């Protein structure tokens, strides 16, 4: 149990004890002896402490579940970023193999399987080939071919 959870349990237990002792002054308790009032206060305090422990346990479980979910989401984001980086590298490698495209700078960006190509292509045919090279890479869901064809 973390320190903050222990502190919460302690505060709740002390509060329960105070409420339990305050219960000694109820009109219904007027006929009880001091010992009976003390026994009743102790029973109420134990019950409140048990409830506090159960609530703290549930809170700790919820916090652990939230942390697990956050870690899972972070892991998925890392996998997605790694996938995007590997797709980008594969597209760049394919572009380098093309003699007409390797001499120019084509910017390749990938996010969630979508490849975006920007820069200049020496011809419409080279632009089309760049798009085809990107589409052929495993993991690519679509290509935004924003290459412009060099004028003249």
């Amino acid at each position: 149990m973390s320190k903050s959870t222990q502190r919460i349990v302690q505060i709740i237990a002390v509060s329960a004890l105070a409420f339990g002792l305050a219960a000694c002054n109820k009109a219904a308790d007027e006929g009880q002896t001091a010992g009976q009032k003390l026994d009743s206060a102790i029973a109420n305090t134990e019950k409140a402490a048990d409830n506090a422990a159960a609530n703290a346990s549930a809170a700790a479980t919820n916090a652990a579940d939230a942390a697990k979910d956050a870690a899972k989401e972070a892991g998925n984001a890392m996998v997605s970023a790694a996938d995007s980086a590997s797709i980008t590298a594969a597209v760049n490698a394919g572009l380098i193999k093309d003699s007409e495209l390797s001499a120019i700078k084509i910017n390749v960006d990938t996010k969630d399987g979508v490849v975006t190509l920007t820069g200049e292509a020496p011809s419409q045919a080279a632009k089309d080939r760049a798009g085809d090279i990107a589409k052929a890479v495993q993991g690519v869901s679509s290509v935004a071919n924003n290459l412009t064809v060099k004028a003249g």
Side-chain angles (χ1 to χ4, degrees):
M1 192 180 299
S2 70
K3 288 184 180 184
S4 61
T5 304
Q6 289 175 338
R7 183 72 178 144
I8 291 170
V9 171
Q10 289 172 345
I11 290 169
I12 293 172
V14 168
S15 298
L17 179 60
F19 286 127
L21 292 174
C24 290
N25 293 328
K26 287 184 178 179
D29 293 341
E30 287 181 12
Q32 291 184 337
T33 65
Q36 290 171 328
K37 288 180 183 180
L38 182 58
D39 289 343
S40 177
I42 290 170
N44 288 340
T45 301
E46 288 174 347
K47 183 177 177 184
D50 288 343
N51 288 340
N55 289 339
S57 176
T61 299
N62 289 342
D65 288 344
K68 182 175 78 174
D69 291 343
K72 188 175 186 179
E73 287 176 21
N76 289 341
M78 288 174 61
V79 167
S80 177
D83 288 346
S84 293
S86 67
I87 290 171
T88 298
V91 171
N92 279 322
L95 294 173
I96 289 171
K97 291 178 185 176
D98 185 290
S99 61
E100 196 174 8
L101 296 172
S102 65
I104 60 171
K105 173 67 176 147
I106 296 177
N107 188 26
V108 179
D109 292 314
T110 307
K111 182 172 182 179
D112 298 327
V114 177
V115 174
T116 302
L117 303 175
T118 54
E120 286 188 348
S123 66
Q124 184 63 44
K127 175 182 176 177
D128 294 341
R129 265 196 327 279
D132 291 341
I133 289 169
K135 287 176 190 168
V137 172
Q138 184 177 4
V140 173
S141 59
S142 67
V143 176
N145 191 341
N146 297 332
L147 295 175
T148 57
V149 177
K150 267 188 182 176

